[in-house]
Amino acid sequence: MPEETQQRYEDSDLYRIRHSAAHVMAQAVLEFYPEAKYTIGPPVENGFYYDFDLPRPLTAEDLEKIEKRMRQIIAGGHVFTKKVVSAEEAHQIFKDQPYKLDLIDGLEKGGFDEYGQPLAEKPEISIYQHDTFTDLCRGPHVENTRKINPSAIKLMSIAGAYWRGDEKNKMLTRLYGTAWKTAQELEEYLAMLEEAKKRDHRKLGKELEIFIYEDEVGPGLPLWLPHGGVMIEELEKLAKEMEEKAGYVRVRTPHLAKEALFLHSGHLPYYAESMYPPMEIEGVKYYVKPMNCPMHHKIFGSKPRSYRELPIRLAEYGTCYRYEKSGELFGLMRVRSMQMNDAHMYCSEDQFEQEFMGVIDLYHKYFELFGIQKFVMRLSLHGKEGLGKKYVDNERLWLKTEAMVRRAMTNGGVPFVEAYDEAAFYGPKIDVQIWSTIGKEFTLATNQVDFAQPGRFGLVFMNKNGVEETPLCIHRAPLSTHERMIGFLLEHYAGNFPVWLSPEHVRVIPITDNQNEYAEGIVRQLREQGIRASADLSAQRMNAKIREAQLMKVPYMLVVGENEANAGTVSLRVRDGSQQNNIPLAEFVVRAKDRIARRAKELF
RNA sequence: GCCGACGUAGCUCAAUCGGCAGAGCAACCGCCUUGUAAGUGGUAGGUUACGGGUUCAAUUCCCGUCGUCGGCUCCA
């Protein structure tokens, strides 16, 4: 990306427009609710928001009223004026605004800006005024309200948000808005949102019969329909091929284990809130596993290990259960039952870099196969304050392993960003960040260093010098979980999967019922060749059958009428709408099998 | 979990002020025998998420529970 040549968002006109629109919105809200307390209102990607502490909840009608009033304020052409003030003056101006006073204290002490973000230096305190509204603000703004295009703004939604983003604090009312330079830009943005909704995996998952949720089963517990089942099989086949080539071995472990195991691993103290509560049998507590690692550690420790057999790579598509808070569930992207593309690699310190980069290499192979281009690799580091709480209390090992990962990534020439205070409790990690079609951020793949658990489990191997040494462990899940991967792929391909991943490869469409028998014969032959095929023998006309197959995004439609039946050929209609008539069936089979076997990007 | 909105047939959606719950598609039974995105007639389909309340009368108003959605927080 040519980031250097791009203007920073903070310096752009749109940023000023949105920031100013947020102030105008706040003015309008305060006019309707003079007793409201206002907090912060920054520009964000595609728009802006403002958080208020309001006497009552807002409704959709309120949004309309506020938006209308905003247009009136804009038309007033009020000038934005900046004034630098002392902390005392600021206290006086905002004496009735407790949240502002809180922010001023942050500015005064230094260390935090007006949005509560950490700052390197103590900033000056400034206010911006326009018309009747005064805000604690460092700007920048447009010169006057007329610079906001009244036909290019729109209030989008009402949401809750905690003060300072902390769930222990009061829940405020957040108003989201969007603002652009022109009405056309606004229209395009809204159209883009509509388009994004069409590829939402929850919608496509239902339409393409991939998965469902059932009230009686439970939230976050998806039921995979036959089409989803096929996709899972294909992903597992892919992973197994790749992992076998890379020297992994497969293991299988149970869904439950005694409390003692998770105490031993250190998960319970850090993770109990995300685990399903224990069940007690014969006086012993059992937990449903939230991850596979403790069991894999037990397998590693099941016999004496020599440096000669390292690295040992234990792989398992293990099903895990995590008690995610109800409001956090989201389609397939955030679930409570998940099957992870999991493996644990045990290696010596001098093998670490090669092993770690071997995983990164695997990522790249998968991303190339799927054509994934928009992602960011994040190196997640520990936070000093969390040592002994969120993180294993051993700063020396944290710094050491973080440096190892940083060096490995740098030596491998893989671009990454660093994220402070986002590590796993047992070590630093590389997460692959992606975005859902409606803009939610997710970790797809993950690759984590574990310097804590092997020691806790007393895992050792005999090194060259005949001395016992503790291995490092790398946790990795390049294909994430079945749930998240399929959710992501649905959106990534908008349901138009490459042939190998398509739940149905071929739909045979007889033109009249005189060709039903011929169609069924074709299906038998295709299945014999490992091609997923079915015939549409319904009483509908050909056009309706084609339409249905198109809507289900079946890559190959084989239309057969009298001519084809007599000649032993098929008329191929590809999902992209192209057509090739009178192909001998054998020829179609050869080409289709080739596309499937190669996991080709092209259809035919 | 928190704030807010929503929940009607398998799916997508109607139902005025509280007054007999409706359509299209799908399903089923026929007719049509069809050449690359919906041929046509009929039949059936509902405890309006669940439980309570107000009322002569509740899809509609009120309370609770469950679930979904938009955010916040948290995460593979």
Side-chain angles (χ1 to χ4, degrees), chain A residues 299-350:
Chain A
I299 291 174
F300 179 92
S302 65
K303 66 174 195 180
R305 304 289 183 178
S306 154
Y307 74 92
R308 293 172 194 277
E309 53 183 319
L310 262 44
I312 288 175
R313 309 179 186 93
L314 305 178
E316 177 179 13
Y317 253 116
T319 308
C320 296
Y321 297 84
R322 296 183 185 176
Y323 184 75
E324 303 288 352
K325 293 186 206 163
S326 56
E328 289 160 354
L329 301 173
F330 176 71
L332 285 178
M333 302 293 215
R334 194 73 181 279
V335 294
R336 286 180 175 166
S337 74
M338 71 205 84
Q339 213 172 339
M340 301 177 73
N341 171 223
D342 212 0
H344 295 91
M345 318 166 67
Y346 303 85
C347 64
S348 64
E349 221 172 274
D350 53 348

Side-chain angles (χ1 to χ4, degrees), chain A residues 365-377:
Chain A
K365 283 186 177 138
Y366 285 134
F367 291 0
E368 158 60 27
L369 173 67
F370 292 117
I372 300 172
Q373 277 155 5
K374 194 188 172 198
F375 65 90
V376 171
M377 297 232 184

Side-chain angles (χ1 to χ4, degrees), chain A residues 320-565:
Chain A
C320 296
Y321 297 84
R322 296 183 185 176
Y323 184 75
E324 303 288 352
K325 293 186 206 163
S326 56
E328 289 160 354
L329 301 173
F330 176 71
L332 285 178
M333 302 293 215
R334 194 73 181 279
V335 294
R336 286 180 175 166
S337 74
M338 71 205 84
Q339 213 172 339
M340 301 177 73
N341 171 223
D342 212 0
H344 295 91
M345 318 166 67
Y346 303 85
C347 64
S348 64
E349 221 172 274
D350 53 348
Q351 290 170 326
F352 171 79
E353 186 163 329
Q354 198 185 347
E355 278 307 289
F356 196 84
M357 294 316 285
V359 176
I360 302 292
D361 183 50
L362 205 50
Y363 287 170
H364 284 126
K365 283 186 177 138
Y366 285 134
F367 291 0
E368 158 60 27
L369 173 67
F370 292 117
I372 300 172
Q373 277 155 5
K374 194 188 172 198
F375 65 90
V376 171
M377 297 232 184
R378 291 164 76 92
L379 167 56
S380 297
L381 308 167
H382 78 289
K384 224 175 163 58
E385 318 74 43
L387 285 173
K389 294 192 281 277
K390 275 167 77 177
Y391 306 118
V392 169
D393 196 6
N394 188 332
E395 187 159 39
R396 188 185 61 79
L397 278 177
W398 275 106
L399 294 172
K400 182 179 162 188
T401 48
E402 284 166 3
M404 286 168 76
V405 175
R406 199 179 280 121
R407 189 175 59 238
M409 295 291 282
T410 308
N411 288 349
V414 180
F416 64 98
V417 298
E418 300 201 2
Y420 183 75
D421 199 21
E422 286 187 16
F425 79 82
Y426 42 67
K429 56 179 181 171
I430 292 286
D431 281 342
V432 176
Q433 208 74 49
I434 50 105
W435 293 265
S436 89
T437 188
I438 60 166
K440 274 183 198 270
E441 193 178 87
F442 288 97
T443 296
L444 192 67
T446 185
N447 188 10
Q448 315 174 339
V449 187
D450 185 347
F451 57 78
Q453 288 191 68
R456 294 184 66 105
F457 278 98
L459 303 185
V460 290
F461 63 95
M462 196 62 84
N463 72 13
K464 277 183 189 154
N465 306 317
V467 180
E468 284 190 341
E469 204 177 308
T470 303
L472 276 174
C473 175
I474 299 171
H475 306 231
R476 41 111 281 175
L479 289 181
S480 187
T481 62
H482 285 326
E483 290 72 20
R484 192 169 284 181
M485 194 67 197
I486 290 178
F488 171 77
L489 291 174
L490 268 164
E491 301 193 348
H492 177 65
Y493 289 115
N496 296 304
F497 299 114
V499 186
W500 68 276
L501 201 51
S502 291
E504 288 182 72
H505 289 146
V506 172
R507 182 127 8 137
V508 185
I509 297 174
I511 291 176
T512 76
D513 51 16
N514 294 328
Q515 287 87 45
N516 281 1
E517 213 171 297
Y518 181 60
E520 287 184 289
I522 290 175
V523 167
R524 274 195 298 277
Q525 291 178 63
L526 293 176
R527 286 184 182 162
E528 200 61 41
Q529 297 293 321
I531 295 173
R532 296 189 283 269
S534 64
D536 184 347
L537 304 183
S538 63
Q540 303 174 95
R541 279 185 155 68
M542 175 203 68
N543 276 313
K545 294 179 186 177
I546 286 173
R547 180 181 144 83
E548 221 160 86
Q550 284 285 162
L551 290 174
M552 290 305 278
K553 302 181 187 288
V554 179
Y556 301 136
M557 284 152 267
L558 298 183
V559 179
V560 293
E562 208 183 328
N563 302 336
E564 288 80 2

Side-chain angles (χ1 to χ4, degrees), chain A residues 135-152:
Chain A
D135 204 355
L136 178 74
C137 179
R138 84 188 130 166
H141 284 280
V142 295
E143 299 93 84
N144 69 72
T145 54
R146 269 193 204 279
K147 299 278 177 187
I148 304 167
N149 183 342
S151 53

